[in-house]
């Protein structure tokens, strides 16, 4: 028994030591206020607790050798989910128009639709229309940082519709609804229909779910992600990995799908040749690098643009908590838009995500927790993060965790009510353009 526990103890000890060393080095080279350091410590401690709770689940997940009995999704329920999310997507757009009117914006329906270009959507529409530019205005050149997976699909639909923005809204709606269906099918592999439906509810009614209706890449990314994991779980490694590759062609965090795929391959005692499917996922990002090379002559030009134009590089997730806390305090007194629209939602999103996952780590599949940890460390570690709620909305482990935490109707209703309340507040901030990205 002691030998069985040795890998867990070793991984936990080495991981704790590594995180402590990194945090100490960061402290030595940083200069924040007491509030900033407190937020960084809180973020680090929550992540450490999550990881320490995860290690035994990880080891047990890989030790199990009995074959799994996979559940089947109700096809009728899948059709209802698709239809209801399509209706919810339309309701989000209509609700936005009504709320903009109530907030005092005098605009026509056409002007309101163009309002949805206020974030990164305009970049995606430009790419769908003109592709990437190798020369011209700086603001158009730096669009190379936006991956081509979503604009390619929008362009195909635009050929039929004749308008990129309309095509983008339709693509996003279809992918949003498709994501809900595939999430239901994925969760149904392990549990009953009720739990799978709860996951779909928490996904569709999340605080930043309105971004799935926007002409942006999140809904397509989630569809590719959840479909990839579903096919991998069903043993269809090549099709699943190809969808993972398209996820990596759509958003760079798609590369992180290597983590849950690896966990599942080890769990199913995959043959050596089956591990070759892991190579497929990075090919999607490699295709994006090829686009960079074709357009600019440099396969990694996007990294330069991200650093120079958006001040984005890979960093530490706890550093993000520190600078966002500092900015929240600085804006609290005299800048409502930045405090309530930007910094506070970002801080709440990342800290609440860690709490949700550490509460659910013993109730959900280890591969989903591994995916969350890797995804959180990479996306939240951005050196100038403005979009934590949006990035975490695309993290499918979170609705699965919330579903696992709410088996009782009362708990489910309470969490859904809270989620919808946060949705209303964050959507209002978005409609007011309070720096919601």
């Amino acid at each position: 028994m002691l030998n069985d526990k040795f890998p867990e103890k070793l991984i936990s000890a080495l991981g704790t030591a590594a995180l402590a060393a990194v945090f100490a080095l960061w402290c030595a080279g940083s200069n924040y206020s007491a509030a900033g350091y407190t937020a960084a410590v809180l973020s680090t401690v929550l992540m450490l607790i999550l990881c320490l709770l995860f290690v035994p689940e990880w080891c047990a997940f890989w030790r199990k050798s009995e074959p799994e009995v996979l559940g089947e999704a109700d096809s009728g329920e899948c059709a209802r989910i698709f239809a209801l999310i399509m209706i919810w997507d339309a309701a989000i757009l209509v609700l936005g128009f009504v709320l903009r009117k109530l907030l005092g914006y005098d605009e026509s329906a056409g002007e309101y639709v163009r309002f949805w270009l206020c974030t990164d959507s305009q970049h995606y529409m430009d790419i769908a229309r003109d592709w990437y530019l190798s020369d011209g205005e700086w603001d158009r050149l730096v669009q190379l940082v936006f991956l081509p997976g979503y604009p390619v699909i929008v362009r195909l639909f635009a050929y039929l519709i004749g308008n990129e923005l309309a095509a983008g809204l339709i693509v996003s709606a279809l992918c949003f609804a498709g994501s809900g269906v595939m999430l239901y099918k994925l969760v149904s592999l392990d549990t009953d229909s009720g739990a799978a439906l709860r996951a779909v509810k928490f996904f569709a009614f999340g605080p930043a779910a309105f971004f799935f209706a926007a002409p942006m890449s999140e809904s397509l990314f989630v569809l590719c992600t959840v479909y990839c994991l579903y096919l991998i779980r069903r043993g269809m490694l090549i099709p699943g990995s190809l969808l993972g590759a398209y996820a990596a062609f759509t958003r760079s965090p798609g590369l992180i799908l290597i983590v849950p795929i690896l966990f599942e391959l080890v769990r199913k005692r995959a043959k050596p040749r089956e591990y070759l499917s892991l190579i497929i996922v990075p090919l999607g990002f490699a295709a994006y690098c090829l686009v960079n090379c074709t357009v600019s002559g440099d396969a990694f030009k996007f990294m330069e643009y991200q650093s120079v134009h958006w001040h984005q590089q890979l960093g530490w997730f706890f550093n993000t908590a520190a600078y966002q806390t500092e900015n929240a305090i600085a804006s609290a007194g005299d800048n409502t838009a930045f405090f309530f629209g930007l910094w506070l939602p970002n801080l709440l999103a990342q800290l609440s995500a860690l709490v949700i996952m550490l509460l659910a780590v013993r109730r959900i599949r280890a591969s989903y927790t591994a995916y969350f940890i890797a995804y959180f460390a990479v996306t939240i570690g951005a050196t100038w993060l403005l979009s934590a709620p949006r990035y975490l909305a695309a993290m499918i482990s979170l609705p699965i965790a919330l579903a696992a935490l709410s088996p009782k109707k009362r708990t489910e209703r309470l969490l859904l009510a809270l989620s919808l309340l946060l949705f209303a507040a964050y959507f209002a901030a978005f409609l007011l353009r309070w720096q919601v990205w």
Side-chain angles (χ1 to χ4, degrees):
M1 181 63 69
L2 290 176
N3 288 337
D4 288 343
K5 296 294 182 181
F6 178 74
E8 298 177 16
K9 294 178 179 179
L10 180 62
I11 293 169
S12 297
L14 292 176
T16 301
L19 183 58
V22 167
F23 189 81
L25 288 172
W26 171 80
C27 285
S30 59
N31 183 26
Y32 289 108
S33 67
Y37 282 119
T38 300
V41 169
L42 178 59
S43 179
T44 305
V45 169
L46 289 173
M47 176 61 89
L48 178 60
I49 295 172
L50 170 60
C51 291
L52 291 177
L53 292 173
F54 166 64
V55 169
E57 302 300 315
W58 168 10
C59 293
F61 186 69
W62 279 3
R63 283 195 198 105
K64 291 178 182 176
S65 57
E66 68 275 9
E68 292 184 299
V69 178
L70 300 180
E72 291 291 339
D74 184 323
S75 57
E77 201 66 71
C78 290
R80 284 190 288 273
I81 289 169
F82 188 88
L84 288 172
I85 293 183
M86 288 294 289
I87 293 170
W88 173 231
D89 182 277
I92 289 173
L93 298 177
V94 173
L95 179 63
F97 179 66
V98 173
L99 289 176
R100 289 271 294 177
K101 286 288 187 182
L102 294 175
L103 291 169
Y105 292 92
D106 184 18
E107 58 192 0
S108 66
E111 290 170 333
Y112 165 71
V113 171
R114 288 190 290 276
F115 162 78
W116 284 85
L117 296 172
C118 61
T119 58
D120 293 338
S121 300
Q122 182 66 67
H123 299 300
Y124 286 116
M125 296 305 101
D126 288 342
I127 297 165
R129 184 185 64 248
D130 303 324
W131 197 234
Y132 300 98
L133 302 184
S134 56
D135 58 70
E137 296 179 3
W138 174 255
D139 286 345
R140 295 296 303 276
L141 295 178
V142 297
Q143 289 176 337
L144 195 55
V145 306
F146 297 96
L147 277 71
Y150 179 73
V152 166
I153 303 296
V154 170
R155 185 161 185 158
L156 291 174
F157 272 74
Y159 279 128
L160 302 175
I161 298 170
N163 181 278
E164 286 80 17
L165 179 53
L169 291 169
I170 292 171
V171 168
S172 292
L174 292 172
C175 291
F176 187 14
S179 297
V181 171
M182 292 313 304
L183 181 61
Y184 173 75
K185 296 182 73 170
L186 177 66
V187 180
S188 293
L189 294 176
D190 301 309
T191 186
D192 58 81
S193 179
L197 282 173
R198 289 198 302 275
V200 175
K201 292 175 188 176
F202 287 118
F203 164 69
F205 299 135
F210 57 87
F211 279 114
F212 295 131
M216 301 174 72
S217 63
E218 272 68 30
S219 55
L220 175 62
F221 174 75
V222 174
L223 177 60
C224 291
T225 296
V226 72
Y227 209 160
C228 162
L229 294 178
Y230 175 77
L231 292 178
I232 294 295
R233 291 287 310 281
R234 300 289 300 186
M236 293 177 273
L237 301 182
I238 300 302
S241 297
L242 286 172
L243 277 166
Y246 203 83
F249 190 60
T250 301
R251 295 189 65 82
S252 54
L255 286 168
I256 303 169
L257 281 167
I258 290 174
V259 173
I261 293 174
L262 175 62
F263 265 69
E264 294 296 342
L265 289 174
V266 175
R267 173 69 177 82
K268 71 185 288 287
R269 306 294 189 266
K271 298 175 183 178
R273 61 181 174 80
E274 291 180 308
Y275 284 93
L276 294 176
S277 61
L278 289 170
I279 300 174
I280 296 174
V281 175
L283 293 180
F285 194 76
Y288 167 58
C289 292
L290 181 60
V291 170
N292 272 255
C293 187
T294 302
V295 172
S296 70
D298 181 354
F300 300 101
K301 191 68 173 180
F302 69 94
M303 296 179 67
E304 176 188 331
Y305 288 155
Q306 282 181 329
S307 177
V308 173
H309 191 72
W310 275 281
H311 313 291
Q312 289 284 32
Q313 298 178 34
L314 289 175
W316 300 109
F317 65 91
F318 44 79
N319 179 65
T320 299
Y323 72 70
Q324 289 189 339
T325 299
E326 301 267 83
N327 285 314
I329 292 171
S331 63
D334 59 356
N335 198 324
T336 300
F338 276 84
F339 181 74
F340 287 106
L342 179 58
W343 303 121
L344 184 61
N346 270 261
L347 279 168
L348 289 176
Q350 57 195 280
L351 295 177
S352 61
L354 288 170
V355 171
I356 289 166
M357 289 302 298
L358 69 86
L359 291 175
V361 64
R362 290 174 175 157
R363 303 189 189 193
I364 67 172
R365 198 170 180 85
S367 56
Y368 302 157
T369 305
Y371 179 43
F372 172 84
I373 291 171
Y375 183 98
F376 186 94
V378 172
T379 60
I380 304 303
T383 52
W384 188 239
L385 180 66
L386 307 179
S387 310
R390 175 161 62 92
Y391 291 171
L392 291 170
M395 173 16 66
I396 57 96
S397 302
L398 284 169
I400 296 174
L402 286 167
L405 290 171
S406 56
K408 296 181 179 179
K409 277 292 182 183
R410 184 178 178 182
T411 306
E412 177 191 352
R413 289 169 184 160
L414 180 63
L415 289 175
L416 278 173
L418 176 59
S419 186
L420 283 169
L421 182 63
L422 292 171
F423 172 90
Y426 199 48
F427 191 35
F430 169 74
L431 295 172
L432 287 166
R433 291 311 300 134
W434 280 7
Q435 298 300 310
V436 174
W437 302 99

